[in-house]
PDB file of all heavy atoms in Angstrom:
ATOM      1  N   GLN A  17       4.444 -31.190 -22.822  1.00 96.00           N
ATOM      2  CA  GLN A  17       4.792 -29.852 -22.347  1.00 96.00           C
ATOM      3  C   GLN A  17       5.667 -29.134 -23.383  1.00 96.00           C
ATOM      4  O   GLN A  17       6.629 -29.701 -23.900  1.00 96.00           O
ATOM      5  CB  GLN A  17       5.538 -29.960 -21.012  1.00 96.00           C
ATOM      6  CG  GLN A  17       6.029 -28.647 -20.438  1.00 96.00           C
ATOM      7  CD  GLN A  17       4.961 -27.824 -19.745  1.00 96.00           C
ATOM      8  OE1 GLN A  17       3.794 -27.858 -20.111  1.00 96.00           O
ATOM      9  NE2 GLN A  17       5.355 -27.068 -18.745  1.00 96.00           N
ATOM     10  N   TYR A  18       5.274 -27.905 -23.723  1.00 97.00           N
ATOM     11  CA  TYR A  18       5.958 -27.025 -24.680  1.00 97.00           C
ATOM     12  C   TYR A  18       5.854 -27.499 -26.132  1.00 97.00           C
ATOM     13  O   TYR A  18       6.561 -26.994 -27.001  1.00 97.00           O
ATOM     14  CB  TYR A  18       7.420 -26.785 -24.309  1.00 97.00           C
ATOM     15  CG  TYR A  18       7.600 -26.280 -22.897  1.00 97.00           C
ATOM     16  CD1 TYR A  18       8.480 -26.913 -22.015  1.00 97.00           C
ATOM     17  CD2 TYR A  18       6.862 -25.204 -22.421  1.00 97.00           C
ATOM     18  CE1 TYR A  18       8.626 -26.476 -20.712  1.00 97.00           C
ATOM     19  CE2 TYR A  18       6.996 -24.765 -21.112  1.00 97.00           C
ATOM     20  CZ  TYR A  18       7.879 -25.393 -20.255  1.00 97.00           C
ATOM     21  OH  TYR A  18       8.017 -24.957 -18.969  1.00 97.00           O
ATOM     22  N   GLU A  19       4.961 -28.441 -26.431  1.00 96.00           N
ATOM     23  CA  GLU A  19       4.687 -28.812 -27.821  1.00 96.00           C
ATOM     24  C   GLU A  19       4.156 -27.577 -28.525  1.00 96.00           C
ATOM     25  O   GLU A  19       3.255 -26.898 -28.016  1.00 96.00           O
ATOM     26  CB  GLU A  19       3.671 -29.949 -27.855  1.00 96.00           C
ATOM     27  CG  GLU A  19       3.441 -30.564 -29.208  1.00 96.00           C
ATOM     28  CD  GLU A  19       2.550 -31.802 -29.146  1.00 96.00           C
ATOM     29  OE1 GLU A  19       2.427 -32.424 -28.069  1.00 96.00           O
ATOM     30  OE2 GLU A  19       1.965 -32.119 -30.199  1.00 96.00           O
ATOM     31  N   GLN A  20       4.696 -27.262 -29.709  1.00 97.00           N
ATOM     32  CA  GLN A  20       4.404 -25.968 -30.317  1.00 97.00           C
ATOM     33  C   GLN A  20       4.535 -25.981 -31.835  1.00 97.00           C
ATOM     34  O   GLN A  20       5.210 -26.840 -32.396  1.00 97.00           O
ATOM     35  CB  GLN A  20       5.321 -24.900 -29.746  1.00 97.00           C
ATOM     36  CG  GLN A  20       6.785 -25.155 -30.022  1.00 97.00           C
ATOM     37  CD  GLN A  20       7.657 -24.203 -29.235  1.00 97.00           C
ATOM     38  OE1 GLN A  20       7.996 -23.132 -29.733  1.00 97.00           O
ATOM     39  NE2 GLN A  20       8.017 -24.579 -28.015  1.00 97.00           N
ATOM     40  N   ALA A  21       3.913 -24.993 -32.450  1.00 97.00           N
ATOM     41  CA  ALA A  21       4.013 -24.806 -33.900  1.00 97.00           C
ATOM     42  C   ALA A  21       3.794 -23.337 -34.212  1.00 97.00           C
ATOM     43  O   ALA A  21       2.974 -22.670 -33.574  1.00 97.00           O
ATOM     44  CB  ALA A  21       2.986 -25.655 -34.628  1.00 97.00           C
ATOM     45  N   GLY A  22       4.521 -22.837 -35.226  1.00 97.00           N
ATOM     46  CA  GLY A  22       4.321 -21.456 -35.627  1.00 97.00           C
ATOM     47  C   GLY A  22       5.471 -20.920 -36.451  1.00 97.00           C
ATOM     48  O   GLY A  22       6.091 -21.635 -37.228  1.00 97.00           O
ATOM     49  N   ILE A  23       5.750 -19.626 -36.247  1.00 98.00           N
ATOM     50  CA  ILE A  23       6.750 -18.882 -37.012  1.00 98.00           C
ATOM     51  C   ILE A  23       7.982 -18.651 -36.133  1.00 98.00           C
ATOM     52  O   ILE A  23       7.846 -18.246 -34.973  1.00 98.00           O
ATOM     53  CB  ILE A  23       6.182 -17.505 -37.439  1.00 98.00           C
ATOM     54  CG1 ILE A  23       4.928 -17.664 -38.302  1.00 98.00           C
ATOM     55  CG2 ILE A  23       7.242 -16.684 -38.175  1.00 98.00           C
ATOM     56  CD1 ILE A  23       4.150 -16.370 -38.521  1.00 98.00           C
ATOM     57  N   THR A  24       9.163 -18.871 -36.700  1.00 96.00           N
ATOM     58  CA  THR A  24      10.416 -18.555 -36.002  1.00 96.00           C
ATOM     59  C   THR A  24      11.232 -17.614 -36.872  1.00 96.00           C
ATOM     60  O   THR A  24      11.324 -17.800 -38.084  1.00 96.00           O
ATOM     61  CB  THR A  24      11.225 -19.832 -35.681  1.00 96.00           C
ATOM     62  OG1 THR A  24      10.446 -20.665 -34.812  1.00 96.00           O
ATOM     63  CG2 THR A  24      12.545 -19.508 -35.003  1.00 96.00           C
ATOM     64  N   TRP A  25      11.816 -16.587 -36.245  1.00 96.00           N
ATOM     65  CA  TRP A  25      12.658 -15.619 -36.936  1.00 96.00           C
ATOM     66  C   TRP A  25      14.121 -15.931 -36.617  1.00 96.00           C
ATOM     67  O   TRP A  25      14.481 -16.079 -35.450  1.00 96.00           O
ATOM     68  CB  TRP A  25      12.325 -14.195 -36.468  1.00 96.00           C
ATOM     69  CG  TRP A  25      12.933 -13.142 -37.346  1.00 96.00           C
ATOM     70  CD1 TRP A  25      14.164 -12.571 -37.202  1.00 96.00           C
ATOM     71  CD2 TRP A  25      12.355 -12.574 -38.516  1.00 96.00           C
ATOM     72  NE1 TRP A  25      14.383 -11.665 -38.208  1.00 96.00           N
ATOM     73  CE2 TRP A  25      13.274 -11.653 -39.038  1.00 96.00           C
ATOM     74  CE3 TRP A  25      11.135 -12.750 -39.178  1.00 96.00           C
ATOM     75  CZ2 TRP A  25      13.026 -10.898 -40.182  1.00 96.00           C
ATOM     76  CZ3 TRP A  25      10.876 -12.006 -40.316  1.00 96.00           C
ATOM     77  CH2 TRP A  25      11.813 -11.096 -40.803  1.00 96.00           C
ATOM     78  N   TYR A  26      14.923 -16.036 -37.674  1.00 95.00           N
ATOM     79  CA  TYR A  26      16.364 -16.292 -37.519  1.00 95.00           C
ATOM     80  C   TYR A  26      17.126 -15.016 -37.882  1.00 95.00           C
ATOM     81  O   TYR A  26      16.797 -14.334 -38.847  1.00 95.00           O
ATOM     82  CB  TYR A  26      16.811 -17.417 -38.445  1.00 95.00           C
ATOM     83  CG  TYR A  26      16.377 -18.788 -37.997  1.00 95.00           C
ATOM     84  CD1 TYR A  26      15.099 -19.258 -38.252  1.00 95.00           C
ATOM     85  CD2 TYR A  26      17.268 -19.627 -37.328  1.00 95.00           C
ATOM     86  CE1 TYR A  26      14.695 -20.511 -37.838  1.00 95.00           C
ATOM     87  CE2 TYR A  26      16.874 -20.894 -36.909  1.00 95.00           C
ATOM     88  CZ  TYR A  26      15.595 -21.339 -37.174  1.00 95.00           C
ATOM     89  OH  TYR A  26      15.190 -22.582 -36.763  1.00 95.00           O
ATOM     90  N   ASN A  27      18.164 -14.734 -37.089  1.00 94.00           N
ATOM     91  CA  ASN A  27      19.036 -13.594 -37.326  1.00 94.00           C
ATOM     92  C   ASN A  27      20.449 -14.132 -37.293  1.00 94.00           C
ATOM     93  O   ASN A  27      20.879 -14.685 -36.274  1.00 94.00           O
ATOM     94  CB  ASN A  27      18.791 -12.541 -36.238  1.00 94.00           C
ATOM     95  CG  ASN A  27      19.625 -11.286 -36.410  1.00 94.00           C
ATOM     96  OD1 ASN A  27      20.679 -11.160 -35.792  1.00 94.00           O
ATOM     97  ND2 ASN A  27      19.164 -10.371 -37.227  1.00 94.00           N
ATOM     98  N   ASP A  28      21.160 -13.993 -38.414  1.00 93.00           N
ATOM     99  CA  ASP A  28      22.528 -14.482 -38.522  1.00 93.00           C
ATOM    100  C   ASP A  28      22.639 -15.963 -38.164  1.00 93.00           C
ATOM    101  O   ASP A  28      23.547 -16.379 -37.458  1.00 93.00           O
ATOM    102  CB  ASP A  28      23.455 -13.633 -37.665  1.00 93.00           C
ATOM    103  CG  ASP A  28      24.899 -13.656 -38.166  1.00 93.00           C
ATOM    104  OD1 ASP A  28      25.108 -14.025 -39.335  1.00 93.00           O
ATOM    105  OD2 ASP A  28      25.795 -13.339 -37.378  1.00 93.00           O
ATOM    106  N   GLY A  29      21.656 -16.755 -38.618  1.00 91.00           N
ATOM    107  CA  GLY A  29      21.677 -18.202 -38.419  1.00 91.00           C
ATOM    108  C   GLY A  29      21.157 -18.697 -37.084  1.00 91.00           C
ATOM    109  O   GLY A  29      21.134 -19.910 -36.847  1.00 91.00           O
ATOM    110  N   LYS A  30      20.715 -17.795 -36.214  1.00 93.00           N
ATOM    111  CA  LYS A  30      20.248 -18.211 -34.880  1.00 93.00           C
ATOM    112  C   LYS A  30      18.779 -17.840 -34.692  1.00 93.00           C
ATOM    113  O   LYS A  30      18.374 -16.730 -35.072  1.00 93.00           O
ATOM    114  CB  LYS A  30      21.077 -17.539 -33.786  1.00 93.00           C
ATOM    115  CG  LYS A  30      22.518 -17.957 -33.799  1.00 93.00           C
ATOM    116  CD  LYS A  30      23.296 -17.247 -32.710  1.00 93.00           C
ATOM    117  CE  LYS A  30      24.730 -17.719 -32.773  1.00 93.00           C
ATOM    118  NZ  LYS A  30      25.687 -16.688 -32.559  1.00 93.00           N
ATOM    119  N   PRO A  31      17.986 -18.726 -34.071  1.00 93.00           N
ATOM    120  CA  PRO A  31      16.589 -18.363 -33.784  1.00 93.00           C
ATOM    121  C   PRO A  31      16.556 -17.294 -32.685  1.00 93.00           C
ATOM    122  O   PRO A  31      17.113 -17.483 -31.609  1.00 93.00           O
ATOM    123  CB  PRO A  31      15.961 -19.677 -33.315  1.00 93.00           C
ATOM    124  CG  PRO A  31      17.098 -20.535 -32.843  1.00 93.00           C
ATOM    125  CD  PRO A  31      18.304 -20.083 -33.614  1.00 93.00           C
ATOM    126  N   VAL A  32      15.923 -16.145 -32.979  1.00 92.00           N
ATOM    127  CA  VAL A  32      15.895 -15.046 -32.015  1.00 92.00           C
ATOM    128  C   VAL A  32      14.480 -14.689 -31.570  1.00 92.00           C
ATOM    129  O   VAL A  32      14.300 -13.920 -30.624  1.00 92.00           O
ATOM    130  CB  VAL A  32      16.590 -13.783 -32.560  1.00 92.00           C
ATOM    131  CG1 VAL A  32      18.078 -14.029 -32.766  1.00 92.00           C
ATOM    132  CG2 VAL A  32      15.936 -13.277 -33.826  1.00 92.00           C
ATOM    133  N   PHE A  33      13.471 -15.226 -32.243  1.00 93.00           N
ATOM    134  CA  PHE A  33      12.107 -14.893 -31.905  1.00 93.00           C
ATOM    135  C   PHE A  33      11.172 -15.977 -32.437  1.00 93.00           C
ATOM    136  O   PHE A  33      11.427 -16.543 -33.491  1.00 93.00           O
ATOM    137  CB  PHE A  33      11.706 -13.547 -32.523  1.00 93.00           C
ATOM    138  CG  PHE A  33      10.243 -13.251 -32.351  1.00 93.00           C
ATOM    139  CD1 PHE A  33       9.764 -12.733 -31.179  1.00 93.00           C
ATOM    140  CD2 PHE A  33       9.343 -13.560 -33.354  1.00 93.00           C
ATOM    141  CE1 PHE A  33       8.410 -12.500 -30.994  1.00 93.00           C
ATOM    142  CE2 PHE A  33       7.987 -13.332 -33.186  1.00 93.00           C
ATOM    143  CZ  PHE A  33       7.520 -12.810 -32.003  1.00 93.00           C
ATOM    144  N   LYS A  34      10.086 -16.240 -31.687  1.00 96.00           N
ATOM    145  CA  LYS A  34       9.070 -17.156 -32.183  1.00 96.00           C
ATOM    146  C   LYS A  34       7.692 -16.619 -31.834  1.00 96.00           C
ATOM    147  O   LYS A  34       7.490 -15.961 -30.806  1.00 96.00           O
ATOM    148  CB  LYS A  34       9.245 -18.562 -31.590  1.00 96.00           C
ATOM    149  CG  LYS A  34       8.972 -18.633 -30.091  1.00 96.00           C
ATOM    150  CD  LYS A  34       9.116 -20.037 -29.556  1.00 96.00           C
ATOM    151  CE  LYS A  34       8.783 -20.085 -28.073  1.00 96.00           C
ATOM    152  NZ  LYS A  34       8.909 -21.435 -27.512  1.00 96.00           N
ATOM    153  N   GLU A  35       6.739 -16.875 -32.747  1.00 97.00           N
ATOM    154  CA  GLU A  35       5.319 -16.679 -32.470  1.00 97.00           C
ATOM    155  C   GLU A  35       4.664 -18.020 -32.724  1.00 97.00           C
ATOM    156  O   GLU A  35       4.622 -18.499 -33.865  1.00 97.00           O
ATOM    157  CB  GLU A  35       4.692 -15.611 -33.365  1.00 97.00           C
ATOM    158  CG  GLU A  35       3.202 -15.437 -33.068  1.00 97.00           C
ATOM    159  CD  GLU A  35       2.488 -14.456 -33.962  1.00 97.00           C
ATOM    160  OE1 GLU A  35       3.091 -13.950 -34.929  1.00 97.00           O
ATOM    161  OE2 GLU A  35       1.305 -14.194 -33.682  1.00 97.00           O
ATOM    162  N   VAL A  36       4.195 -18.655 -31.654  1.00 97.00           N
ATOM    163  CA  VAL A  36       3.718 -20.022 -31.754  1.00 97.00           C
ATOM    164  C   VAL A  36       2.451 -20.246 -30.940  1.00 97.00           C
ATOM    165  O   VAL A  36       2.112 -19.476 -30.047  1.00 97.00           O
ATOM    166  CB  VAL A  36       4.792 -21.026 -31.254  1.00 97.00           C
ATOM    167  CG1 VAL A  36       6.036 -21.000 -32.123  1.00 97.00           C
ATOM    168  CG2 VAL A  36       5.163 -20.759 -29.790  1.00 97.00           C
ATOM    169  N   LYS A  37       1.782 -21.329 -31.267  1.00 97.00           N
ATOM    170  CA  LYS A  37       0.719 -21.891 -30.443  1.00 97.00           C
ATOM    171  C   LYS A  37       1.397 -23.008 -29.650  1.00 97.00           C
ATOM    172  O   LYS A  37       1.953 -23.933 -30.241  1.00 97.00           O
ATOM    173  CB  LYS A  37      -0.390 -22.440 -31.334  1.00 97.00           C
ATOM    174  CG  LYS A  37      -1.547 -23.048 -30.588  1.00 97.00           C
ATOM    175  CD  LYS A  37      -2.568 -23.572 -31.603  1.00 97.00           C
ATOM    176  CE  LYS A  37      -3.748 -24.212 -30.911  1.00 97.00           C
ATOM    177  NZ  LYS A  37      -4.645 -24.832 -31.911  1.00 97.00           N
ATOM    178  N   GLU A  38       1.390 -22.897 -28.315  1.00 97.00           N
ATOM    179  CA  GLU A  38       2.229 -23.767 -27.486  1.00 97.00           C
ATOM    180  C   GLU A  38       1.451 -24.292 -26.277  1.00 97.00           C
ATOM    181  O   GLU A  38       0.676 -23.556 -25.657  1.00 97.00           O
ATOM    182  CB  GLU A  38       3.460 -22.977 -27.020  1.00 97.00           C
ATOM    183  CG  GLU A  38       4.446 -23.769 -26.205  1.00 97.00           C
ATOM    184  CD  GLU A  38       5.738 -23.006 -25.942  1.00 97.00           C
ATOM    185  OE1 GLU A  38       5.949 -21.918 -26.535  1.00 97.00           O
ATOM    186  OE2 GLU A  38       6.536 -23.487 -25.131  1.00 97.00           O
ATOM    187  N   LEU A  39       1.692 -25.566 -25.935  1.00 97.00           N
ATOM    188  CA  LEU A  39       1.096 -26.169 -24.749  1.00 97.00           C
ATOM    189  C   LEU A  39       1.992 -25.901 -23.541  1.00 97.00           C
ATOM    190  O   LEU A  39       3.158 -26.313 -23.519  1.00 97.00           O
ATOM    191  CB  LEU A  39       0.934 -27.687 -24.950  1.00 97.00           C
ATOM    192  CG  LEU A  39       0.223 -28.427 -23.818  1.00 97.00           C
ATOM    193  CD1 LEU A  39      -1.262 -28.051 -23.772  1.00 97.00           C
ATOM    194  CD2 LEU A  39       0.376 -29.931 -23.969  1.00 97.00           C
ATOM    195  N   VAL A  40       1.442 -25.189 -22.551  1.00 97.00           N
ATOM    196  CA  VAL A  40       2.184 -24.863 -21.335  1.00 97.00           C
ATOM    197  C   VAL A  40       1.307 -25.234 -20.152  1.00 97.00           C
ATOM    198  O   VAL A  40       0.190 -24.718 -19.994  1.00 97.00           O
ATOM    199  CB  VAL A  40       2.554 -23.359 -21.276  1.00 97.00           C
ATOM    200  CG1 VAL A  40       3.324 -23.048 -19.986  1.00 97.00           C
ATOM    201  CG2 VAL A  40       3.349 -22.938 -22.509  1.00 97.00           C
ATOM    202  N   ASP A  41       1.802 -26.151 -19.330  1.00 97.00           N
ATOM    203  CA  ASP A  41       1.098 -26.584 -18.117  1.00 97.00           C
ATOM    204  C   ASP A  41      -0.350 -26.988 -18.409  1.00 97.00           C
ATOM    205  O   ASP A  41      -1.276 -26.623 -17.680  1.00 97.00           O
ATOM    206  CB  ASP A  41       1.155 -25.498 -17.046  1.00 97.00           C
ATOM    207  CG  ASP A  41       2.585 -25.194 -16.614  1.00 97.00           C
ATOM    208  OD1 ASP A  41       3.430 -26.112 -16.671  1.00 97.00           O
ATOM    209  OD2 ASP A  41       2.864 -24.036 -16.237  1.00 97.00           O
ATOM    210  N   GLY A  42      -0.542 -27.723 -19.497  1.00 96.00           N
ATOM    211  CA  GLY A  42      -1.856 -28.267 -19.817  1.00 96.00           C
ATOM    212  C   GLY A  42      -2.806 -27.354 -20.555  1.00 96.00           C
ATOM    213  O   GLY A  42      -3.935 -27.730 -20.856  1.00 96.00           O
ATOM    214  N   HIS A  43      -2.357 -26.124 -20.872  1.00 96.00           N
ATOM    215  CA  HIS A  43      -3.204 -25.165 -21.580  1.00 96.00           C
ATOM    216  C   HIS A  43      -2.494 -24.647 -22.823  1.00 96.00           C
ATOM    217  O   HIS A  43      -1.270 -24.477 -22.818  1.00 96.00           O
ATOM    218  CB  HIS A  43      -3.588 -23.987 -20.672  1.00 96.00           C
ATOM    219  CG  HIS A  43      -4.317 -24.400 -19.447  1.00 96.00           C
ATOM    220  ND1 HIS A  43      -5.651 -24.746 -19.446  1.00 96.00           N
ATOM    221  CD2 HIS A  43      -3.891 -24.560 -18.168  1.00 96.00           C
ATOM    222  CE1 HIS A  43      -6.023 -25.072 -18.226  1.00 96.00           C
ATOM    223  NE2 HIS A  43      -4.967 -24.978 -17.421  1.00 96.00           N
ATOM    224  N   LEU A  44      -3.265 -24.365 -23.871  1.00 96.00           N
ATOM    225  CA  LEU A  44      -2.695 -23.818 -25.106  1.00 96.00           C
ATOM    226  C   LEU A  44      -2.687 -22.305 -25.078  1.00 96.00           C
ATOM    227  O   LEU A  44      -3.678 -21.678 -24.680  1.00 96.00           O
ATOM    228  CB  LEU A  44      -3.502 -24.311 -26.317  1.00 96.00           C
ATOM    229  CG  LEU A  44      -3.252 -25.767 -26.696  1.00 96.00           C
ATOM    230  CD1 LEU A  44      -4.293 -26.242 -27.693  1.00 96.00           C
ATOM    231  CD2 LEU A  44      -1.853 -25.940 -27.255  1.00 96.00           C
ATOM    232  N   TYR A  45      -1.565 -21.741 -25.499  1.00 97.00           N
ATOM    233  CA  TYR A  45      -1.393 -20.293 -25.512  1.00 97.00           C
ATOM    234  C   TYR A  45      -0.745 -19.856 -26.820  1.00 97.00           C
ATOM    235  O   TYR A  45      -0.052 -20.622 -27.478  1.00 97.00           O
ATOM    236  CB  TYR A  45      -0.460 -19.841 -24.378  1.00 97.00           C
ATOM    237  CG  TYR A  45      -0.972 -20.125 -22.995  1.00 97.00           C
ATOM    238  CD1 TYR A  45      -0.509 -21.218 -22.285  1.00 97.00           C
ATOM    239  CD2 TYR A  45      -1.906 -19.286 -22.392  1.00 97.00           C
ATOM    240  CE1 TYR A  45      -0.968 -21.488 -20.999  1.00 97.00           C
ATOM    241  CE2 TYR A  45      -2.369 -19.529 -21.106  1.00 97.00           C
ATOM    242  CZ  TYR A  45      -1.891 -20.635 -20.409  1.00 97.00           C
ATOM    243  OH  TYR A  45      -2.356 -20.885 -19.149  1.00 97.00           O
ATOM    244  N   ILE A  46      -0.931 -18.557 -27.141  1.00 98.00           N
ATOM    245  CA  ILE A  46      -0.090 -17.895 -28.118  1.00 98.00           C
ATOM    246  C   ILE A  46       1.092 -17.334 -27.344  1.00 98.00           C
ATOM    247  O   ILE A  46       0.922 -16.589 -26.366  1.00 98.00           O
ATOM    248  CB  ILE A  46      -0.852 -16.753 -28.847  1.00 98.00           C
ATOM    249  CG1 ILE A  46      -2.022 -17.313 -29.650  1.00 98.00           C
ATOM    250  CG2 ILE A  46       0.109 -15.971 -29.751  1.00 98.00           C
ATOM    251  CD1 ILE A  46      -1.637 -18.265 -30.768  1.00 98.00           C
ATOM    252  N   ILE A  47       2.285 -17.724 -27.769  1.00 97.00           N
ATOM    253  CA  ILE A  47       3.524 -17.258 -27.160  1.00 97.00           C
ATOM    254  C   ILE A  47       4.257 -16.458 -28.234  1.00 97.00           C
ATOM    255  O   ILE A  47       4.387 -16.953 -29.360  1.00 97.00           O
ATOM    256  CB  ILE A  47       4.389 -18.458 -26.691  1.00 97.00           C
ATOM    257  CG1 ILE A  47       3.643 -19.331 -25.690  1.00 97.00           C
ATOM    258  CG2 ILE A  47       5.730 -17.980 -26.134  1.00 97.00           C
ATOM    259  CD1 ILE A  47       3.340 -18.697 -24.350  1.00 97.00           C
ATOM    260  N   PRO A  48       4.709 -15.254 -27.943  1.00 97.00           N
ATOM    261  CA  PRO A  48       4.808 -14.582 -26.655  1.00 97.00           C
ATOM    262  C   PRO A  48       3.470 -13.975 -26.226  1.00 97.00           C
ATOM    263  O   PRO A  48       2.524 -13.937 -27.012  1.00 97.00           O
ATOM    264  CB  PRO A  48       5.828 -13.468 -26.937  1.00 97.00           C
ATOM    265  CG  PRO A  48       5.586 -13.121 -28.371  1.00 97.00           C
ATOM    266  CD  PRO A  48       5.223 -14.425 -29.042  1.00 97.00           C
ATOM    267  N   GLY A  49       3.423 -13.530 -25.011  1.00 96.00           N
ATOM    268  CA  GLY A  49       2.240 -12.884 -24.477  1.00 96.00           C
ATOM    269  C   GLY A  49       1.350 -13.800 -23.660  1.00 96.00           C
ATOM    270  O   GLY A  49       0.501 -13.354 -22.912  1.00 96.00           O
ATOM    271  N   LYS A  50       1.529 -15.112 -23.836  1.00 97.00           N
ATOM    272  CA  LYS A  50       0.756 -16.132 -23.105  1.00 97.00           C
ATOM    273  C   LYS A  50      -0.743 -15.842 -23.159  1.00 97.00           C
ATOM    274  O   LYS A  50      -1.425 -15.781 -22.151  1.00 97.00           O
ATOM    275  CB  LYS A  50       1.253 -16.265 -21.677  1.00 97.00           C
ATOM    276  CG  LYS A  50       0.967 -17.646 -21.097  1.00 97.00           C
ATOM    277  CD  LYS A  50       1.653 -17.876 -19.775  1.00 97.00           C
ATOM    278  CE  LYS A  50       1.347 -19.286 -19.279  1.00 97.00           C
ATOM    279  NZ  LYS A  50       1.883 -19.521 -17.938  1.00 97.00           N
ATOM    280  N   GLN A  51      -1.235 -15.650 -24.400  1.00 97.00           N
ATOM    281  CA  GLN A  51      -2.648 -15.418 -24.621  1.00 97.00           C
ATOM    282  C   GLN A  51      -3.360 -16.765 -24.798  1.00 97.00           C
ATOM    283  O   GLN A  51      -2.913 -17.572 -25.598  1.00 97.00           O
ATOM    284  CB  GLN A  51      -2.871 -14.551 -25.866  1.00 97.00           C
ATOM    285  CG  GLN A  51      -2.203 -13.203 -25.807  1.00 97.00           C
ATOM    286  CD  GLN A  51      -2.760 -12.341 -24.687  1.00 97.00           C
ATOM    287  OE1 GLN A  51      -3.954 -12.277 -24.492  1.00 97.00           O
ATOM    288  NE2 GLN A  51      -1.871 -11.681 -23.960  1.00 97.00           N
ATOM    289  N   PRO A  52      -4.433 -17.043 -24.064  1.00 97.00           N
ATOM    290  CA  PRO A  52      -5.128 -18.326 -24.183  1.00 97.00           C
ATOM    291  C   PRO A  52      -5.571 -18.573 -25.634  1.00 97.00           C
ATOM    292  O   PRO A  52      -6.058 -17.671 -26.301  1.00 97.00           O
ATOM    293  CB  PRO A  52      -6.349 -18.163 -23.271  1.00 97.00           C
ATOM    294  CG  PRO A  52      -5.939 -17.114 -22.291  1.00 97.00           C
ATOM    295  CD  PRO A  52      -5.039 -16.175 -23.033  1.00 97.00           C
ATOM    296  N   MET A  53      -5.383 -19.820 -26.103  1.00 94.00           N
ATOM    297  CA  MET A  53      -5.719 -20.161 -27.486  1.00 94.00           C
ATOM    298  C   MET A  53      -6.337 -21.558 -27.550  1.00 94.00           C
ATOM    299  O   MET A  53      -5.674 -22.529 -27.883  1.00 94.00           O
ATOM    300  CB  MET A  53      -4.457 -20.093 -28.360  1.00 94.00           C
ATOM    301  CG  MET A  53      -4.654 -20.459 -29.815  1.00 94.00           C
ATOM    302  SD  MET A  53      -6.119 -19.834 -30.615  1.00 94.00           S
ATOM    303  CE  MET A  53      -5.977 -18.100 -30.298  1.00 94.00           C
ATOM    304  N   PRO A  54      -7.599 -21.690 -27.196  1.00 87.00           N
ATOM    305  CA  PRO A  54      -8.235 -23.008 -27.219  1.00 87.00           C
ATOM    306  C   PRO A  54      -8.637 -23.474 -28.619  1.00 87.00           C
ATOM    307  O   PRO A  54      -8.919 -24.652 -28.817  1.00 87.00           O
ATOM    308  CB  PRO A  54      -9.469 -22.827 -26.327  1.00 87.00           C
ATOM    309  CG  PRO A  54      -9.801 -21.364 -26.461  1.00 87.00           C
ATOM    310  CD  PRO A  54      -8.476 -20.667 -26.623  1.00 87.00           C
ATOM    311  N   ALA A  55      -8.678 -22.569 -29.605  1.00 91.00           N
ATOM    312  CA  ALA A  55      -9.114 -22.943 -30.948  1.00 91.00           C
ATOM    313  C   ALA A  55      -8.133 -23.924 -31.589  1.00 91.00           C
ATOM    314  O   ALA A  55      -6.934 -23.841 -31.385  1.00 91.00           O
ATOM    315  CB  ALA A  55      -9.259 -21.700 -31.829  1.00 91.00           C
ATOM    316  N   ARG A  56      -8.665 -24.851 -32.364  1.00 93.00           N
ATOM    317  CA  ARG A  56      -7.853 -25.853 -33.055  1.00 93.00           C
ATOM    318  C   ARG A  56      -6.987 -25.206 -34.137  1.00 93.00           C
ATOM    319  O   ARG A  56      -5.898 -25.664 -34.448  1.00 93.00           O
ATOM    320  CB  ARG A  56      -8.798 -26.898 -33.668  1.00 93.00           C
ATOM    321  CG  ARG A  56      -8.126 -28.083 -34.245  1.00 93.00           C
ATOM    322  CD  ARG A  56      -9.182 -29.155 -34.594  1.00 93.00           C
ATOM    323  NE  ARG A  56      -8.651 -30.011 -35.623  1.00 93.00           N
ATOM    324  CZ  ARG A  56      -8.943 -29.933 -36.908  1.00 93.00           C
ATOM    325  NH1 ARG A  56      -9.809 -29.054 -37.343  1.00 93.00           N
ATOM    326  NH2 ARG A  56      -8.401 -30.751 -37.773  1.00 93.00           N
ATOM    327  N   SER A  57      -7.487 -24.120 -34.725  1.00 96.00           N
ATOM    328  CA  SER A  57      -6.791 -23.455 -35.828  1.00 96.00           C
ATOM    329  C   SER A  57      -6.658 -21.970 -35.501  1.00 96.00           C
ATOM    330  O   SER A  57      -7.550 -21.367 -34.905  1.00 96.00           O
ATOM    331  CB  SER A  57      -7.600 -23.647 -37.117  1.00 96.00           C
ATOM    332  OG  SER A  57      -6.947 -23.070 -38.208  1.00 96.00           O
ATOM    333  N   VAL A  58      -5.507 -21.390 -35.910  1.00 97.00           N
ATOM    334  CA  VAL A  58      -5.268 -19.969 -35.658  1.00 97.00           C
ATOM    335  C   VAL A  58      -4.420 -19.413 -36.793  1.00 97.00           C
ATOM    336  O   VAL A  58      -3.552 -20.093 -37.332  1.00 97.00           O
ATOM    337  CB  VAL A  58      -4.579 -19.737 -34.292  1.00 97.00           C
ATOM    338  CG1 VAL A  58      -3.208 -20.394 -34.237  1.00 97.00           C
ATOM    339  CG2 VAL A  58      -4.483 -18.251 -33.961  1.00 97.00           C
TER     340      VAL A  58
END
């Protein structure tokens, strides 16, 4: 659950935003936006 990979934006040393491919409740999504992402590569 929540296994993920992608881009994280840091502001003043703190993570403030991420765009990732993430496993949520058994399904893969692009987060933010929770867009379905079944493809192996994106």
Side-chain angles (χ1 to χ4, degrees):
Q17 177 79 329
Y18 306 128
E19 188 173 338
Q20 62 190 269
I23 301 168
T24 298
W25 193 270
Y26 286 81
N27 182 263
D28 205 18
K30 296 179 180 140
V32 295
F33 172 81
K34 67 178 183 180
E35 179 183 6
V36 296
K37 180 181 179 186
E38 183 172 350
L39 184 70
V40 180
D41 298 331
H43 300 283
L44 285 168
Y45 297 100
I46 296 297
I47 301 294
K50 206 170 181 186
Q51 301 296 317
M53 179 42 54
R56 188 170 156 259
S57 183
V58 62

